[in-house]
Amino acid sequence: MRGFDLVNSKLVVRCVRLTSCDNCSLLSLNFGGNLMVDKIAKVPIIEFRAPPSHKEGLEVLDLGNFYKKLPRCSFDPGKPHRITYYCFIYITEGEGRHFIDFKYHSFKKGSFIFINKNQVHAFDISSQAKGKMINVTDEFFDMILTNVRLPFFAPTYFLNSYTPVFDLSPALAATCSSLLYEIEKTQLRKSCEPLFPQLIFSSLLVALGEERKNNMEHLSEAQVARFNHFLILITQEYRQTRHAQDYANMLGVTYKSLNQLCKIACDKTAKQLIDSYIILEIKRRLVIDSLQVQEVAYQLGFDDVTYFMRFFKRHTKLTPSKFKACSYS
């Protein structure tokens, strides 16, 4: 039960498996606004497959080395791909735009980019930005939670307030560089105590969480935990139910109290948040997975395709077919 963002200095994480081009693993995530789909057939799903020395599920890769290995990759990381692990990108030089879940997000020197498990993303290869890419699996996060007391993680990337790019202060950038350097040193050793990189990476996440601003500082710790739990449940159960009452039952609270919590947290109702995630997943499957409208409807639990089309048009002002056509044009 994890997603990935920093809420109230609390990490939100969801892991993905990485696939590599030779020794380098690649990541994929988000969708959003300005769609960047270049007549792709089917977006590849990239899993974590780092070199044996990175078998613990954590890999720090220099972007310069990543670019050099692109000719040997089995897919084009400059085009949308979905990842099954978490991807963090730290920019030390250069600027450009990273594509995440249908939106382009600008980055520059000192930017830290967060890509969640199961998101769709694409690299701005032409920018040749310098920096580090950090790939992390679910298994690695499980080890962290076993040995280190970290704040609760939750998927907030489908909230309107979410921004996957965070600009670091000079002090935090220096801390980030130092911690990543220490992680890289552990990867060069033939043998290393597994707890050491876990502690260093945990320190990095906590440092980022302390500085990253969010709009939930007015919530109590218990409210943040419950709201994050609700978001995680949406990502897990959206195919089974779209009813807010069902989620309230899973959380052991009343429908009214769940709605009040959502309004306080993000000025949206519980139902609006459920629908927002479903619309995002529909877009992903229509465009990234190249599925037909009827296939998407049935996969997401809509028994009536006509209702599915009305549901999508009510939220996007476009029919599914029109959205797909516009995305490819």
Side-chain angles (χ1 to χ4, degrees), residues 50-318:
S53 60
H54 303 28
K55 61 185 177 213
E56 69 274 6
L58 171 67
E59 178 187 30
V60 177
L61 182 66
D62 184 83
L63 288 179
N65 292 333
F66 168 69
Y67 299 142
K68 291 177 183 177
K69 297 179 183 297
L70 291 181
R72 286 180 277 176
C73 286
S74 59
F75 71 102
D76 184 356
K79 292 183 179 180
H81 55 284
R82 189 192 291 252
I83 56 174
T84 58
Y85 49 87
Y86 298 94
C87 179
F88 306 80
I89 303 171
Y90 173 45
I91 305 297
T92 58
E93 189 175 319
E95 58 183 30
R97 298 192 306 164
H98 200 91
F99 175 79
I100 304 175
D101 273 342
F102 300 103
K103 290 181 182 177
Y104 283 100
H105 299 274
S106 297
F107 63 79
K108 59 184 180 181
K109 177 180 178 180
S111 293
F112 205 94
I113 305 170
F114 299 84
I115 306 165
N116 255 322
K117 172 184 176 180
N118 293 326
Q119 282 193 296
V120 171
H121 78 135
F123 289 86
D124 185 353
I125 304 297
S126 63
S127 72
Q128 292 291 295
K130 296 181 180 179
K132 304 291 182 181
M133 175 167 61
I134 308 98
N135 298 325
V136 188
T137 65
D138 269 325
E139 291 75 15
F140 183 80
F141 277 117
D142 287 340
M143 288 189 289
I144 287 181
L145 296 175
T146 298
N147 297 293
V148 184
R149 292 181 63 85
L150 275 181
F152 187 77
F153 295 88
T156 60
Y157 53 85
F158 58 94
L159 302 183
N160 291 338
S161 59
Y162 176 77
T163 53
V165 179
F166 168 43
D167 294 328
L168 310 186
S169 66
L172 182 55
T175 298
C176 182
S177 296
S178 297
L179 292 173
L180 290 175
Y181 174 69
E182 292 299 325
I183 294 175
E184 287 184 289
K185 284 202 304 183
T186 67
Q187 294 182 334
L188 295 175
R189 298 173 187 166
K190 290 185 178 179
S191 62
C192 178
E193 167 58 47
L195 184 58
F196 190 47
Q198 294 172 26
L199 290 170
I200 301 173
F201 186 68
S202 299
S203 299
L204 172 63
L205 292 181
V206 171
L208 292 168
E210 286 295 323
E211 184 165 310
R212 189 176 190 186
K213 295 180 181 179
N214 64 79
N215 61 351
M216 294 192 204
E217 295 175 353
H218 59 292
L219 299 180
S220 68
E221 188 170 336
Q223 287 176 318
V224 171
R226 177 163 289 170
F227 181 66
N228 287 346
H229 190 187
F230 171 54
L231 298 183
I232 291 171
L233 284 175
I234 293 175
T235 65
Q236 294 174 338
E237 306 294 337
Y238 69 95
R239 288 182 294 268
Q240 280 66 50
T241 180
R242 298 184 296 277
H243 301 296
Q245 181 63 64
D246 292 336
Y247 289 93
N249 294 341
M250 294 177 210
L251 292 167
V253 299
T254 65
Y255 172 83
K256 181 178 180 181
S257 62
L258 176 59
N259 252 345
Q260 289 175 335
L261 174 61
C262 293
K263 292 289 286 185
I264 294 171
C266 63
D267 199 30
K268 297 284 185 182
T269 66
K271 177 59 174 171
Q272 286 174 325
L273 290 176
I274 296 167
D275 288 349
S276 292
Y277 185 79
I278 292 172
I279 289 296
L280 173 57
E281 192 59 34
I282 292 172
K283 290 179 178 179
R284 287 171 171 172
R285 296 184 187 222
L286 284 173
V287 178
I288 304 303
D289 296 340
S290 299
L291 298 178
Q292 297 302 312
V293 173
Q294 187 172 357
E295 289 181 277
V296 177
Y298 289 151
Q299 283 188 7
L300 299 189
F302 288 83
D303 296 327
D304 186 340
V305 177
T306 301
Y307 173 73
F308 169 80
M309 295 172 67
R310 290 202 307 269
F311 172 83
F312 187 82
K313 187 173 182 179
R314 184 167 72 247
H315 289 279
T316 66
K317 310 303 180 187
L318 295 171

Side-chain angles (χ1 to χ4, degrees), residues 2-59:
R2 280 185 288 296
F4 145 174
D5 188 1
L6 301 163
V7 178
N8 261 3
S9 301
K10 308 184 175 171
L11 282 302
V12 179
V13 189
R14 262 191 317 175
C15 298
V16 180
R17 293 195 179 131
L18 319 164
T19 298
S20 64
C21 28
D22 239 329
N23 311 352
C24 74
S25 28
L26 301 177
L27 326 149
S28 88
L29 287 208
N30 277 14
F31 309 77
N34 309 327
L35 184 60
M36 182 272 269
V37 180
D38 184 19
K39 290 190 176 180
I40 46 179
K42 188 167 185 176
V43 161
I45 296 176
I46 308 306
E47 297 189 345
F48 186 90
R49 195 183 67 202
S53 60
H54 303 28
K55 61 185 177 213
E56 69 274 6
L58 171 67
E59 178 187 30

